[in-house]
Amino acid sequence: MSPWLRQHHFAFKAALGTVRKSPGSFLFNVLVVALALTLPFAGITLLDNVKPLSEQLSVDPEISLFMREDASRADAEALAPQVRNILSGSRAEVAFVPREQALASLKERSGLGDVLDTLGDNPLPDSYVMKLDGFASAGAAAEVDIITEQLRALPGVDTVQVDSSWVKRLAALLGILRLALLLLAVTLGIVVIAVVFNTIRLQVLTQKEEISVAKLLGATNDFIHRPFYYTGALLGLAAGAVALGVVALALNPLNKAIAQFAQLYGSNFQLLPLGGLESAGLLAISAGLGLIGALLSVRRHLARVR
């Protein structure tokens, strides 16, 4: 074994020895750090589950164009070439819906035919329904907006509606949630560093005499510092594992409630725990936060030990 590996092996064993000497204190600190990590880990798990669902919901948009009430049938039918010209650069299905057909469809779907007959004149306008193909991606939203504005500028047009606008609102909401989760993760990451910082500080004070003797015997700073670094990393790693376990256990009661709600919409949606790669990444981040806290604490407090 090379001297470098031997030194790190000794430092790791020393860190484990420190944990064995005071397991209760170590476990308490693990629980404190795990509580700080559980909330961002739960948020990441939720976003990881919602992401594929939101991608499935990103269907191709459907644009509805409604004529003004005073527009004649001839005016409405005359718009067909202009509508197709605006959509000429995209794959789209264009259907003209006369007001009589729209009223008949409304009566059939709503079951309020008798009520609608009492209105007398048909209140619905002539309309065009355009189904766009290949516009489901987020990058095509700007192009859909341009098409919508061009359709609104046509003569006799009263209203133009994009039926997939809610998809963009959902994407914007998810963006806000990601930003909020990032700010929360940064804040709680600072809390984790502070907890580890204080834990290592107490260890330094407890082992102050041992450190002084080791320095008198010629031990280098790196030799003295390494066990504390490993202790901080172990604390962060153990806390991350506990936080992931808590989130995984919490998914069971949540999925029971979600299953009842999803059945109302004919869905079998369930929250799944993070995959192996994502979990390993979060554990690495947790260990890194513990290491950062140990580094800051060691450099501040060991420098005062003579």
Side-chain angles (χ1 to χ4, degrees):
M1 183 183 294
S2 67
W4 184 85
L5 289 176
R6 192 181 305 114
Q7 291 173 5
H8 280 271
H9 178 69
F10 176 82
F12 183 70
K13 288 180 63 177
L16 290 178
T18 302
V19 173
R20 293 194 193 99
K21 289 180 183 178
S22 55
S25 176
F26 182 79
L27 289 176
F28 178 78
N29 288 318
V30 166
L31 291 177
V32 172
V33 175
L35 286 175
L37 293 174
T38 298
L39 194 55
F41 281 14
I44 292 172
T45 302
L46 178 61
L47 287 178
D48 186 70
N49 281 272
V50 173
K51 181 179 178 181
L53 180 63
S54 64
E55 290 176 350
Q56 294 176 8
L57 292 175
S58 296
V59 294
D60 291 318
E62 183 176 284
I63 300 177
S64 300
L65 181 153
F66 300 97
M67 302 297 297
R68 288 200 296 263
E69 293 183 5
D70 58 351
S72 64
R73 175 62 52 80
D75 294 335
E77 293 177 342
L79 284 185
Q82 300 179 60
V83 170
R84 289 188 172 86
N85 182 54
I86 292 174
L87 300 173
S88 60
S90 59
R91 299 189 302 274
E93 298 180 8
V94 181
F96 176 67
V97 182
R99 54 194 307 178
E100 295 82 10
Q101 180 182 338
L103 181 61
S105 178
L106 180 61
K107 288 180 179 179
E108 181 180 353
R109 286 182 298 176
S110 65
L112 300 175
D114 295 338
V115 176
L116 293 173
D117 288 339
T118 62
L119 297 177
D121 294 337
N122 185 352
L124 301 179
D126 293 325
S127 61
Y128 285 89
V129 177
M130 294 149 276
K131 295 182 179 180
L132 306 183
D133 185 16
F135 285 78
S137 63
E143 189 173 350
V144 173
D145 290 339
I146 293 174
I147 292 175
T148 302
E149 291 302 321
Q150 291 176 340
L151 292 173
R152 286 196 180 102
L154 294 177
V157 174
D158 183 26
T159 307
V160 177
Q161 295 180 347
V162 182
D163 295 341
S164 66
S165 295
W166 63 276
V167 175
K168 293 193 288 185
R169 289 193 289 268
L170 176 62
L173 177 60
L174 290 177
I176 294 173
L177 291 177
R178 291 189 187 96
L179 180 59
L181 180 60
L182 176 61
L183 295 175
L184 178 65
V186 170
T187 302
L188 294 179
I190 295 173
V191 172
V192 171
I193 292 174
V195 172
V196 176
F197 181 93
N198 187 61
T199 301
I200 299 301
R201 180 184 69 85
L202 294 176
Q203 287 188 7
V204 170
L205 295 177
T206 303
Q207 303 177 28
K208 184 176 180 180
E209 295 180 359
E210 297 178 20
I211 295 170
S212 299
V213 172
K215 286 190 174 184
L216 289 175
L217 295 175
T220 63
N221 288 334
D222 289 341
F223 180 83
I224 297 172
H225 293 179
R226 286 193 195 100
F228 295 103
Y229 296 160
Y230 275 105
T231 301
L234 284 173
L235 175 57
L237 182 64
V242 171
L244 285 175
V246 170
V247 172
L249 291 175
L251 293 182
N252 291 327
L254 279 175
N255 278 328
K256 291 180 181 179
I258 291 174
Q260 297 177 358
F261 180 77
Q263 287 176 358
L264 299 176
Y265 293 89
S267 173
N268 57 354
F269 175 75
Q270 283 190 332
L271 294 173
L272 300 175
L274 293 173
L277 185 61
E278 293 84 357
S279 298
L282 291 179
L283 289 176
I285 292 173
S286 303
L289 290 173
L291 180 59
I292 291 172
L295 281 168
L296 295 175
S297 184
V298 164
R299 292 186 178 182
R300 177 177 177 83
H301 297 102
L302 277 181
R304 301 176 181 179
V305 178
R306 301 298 180 186

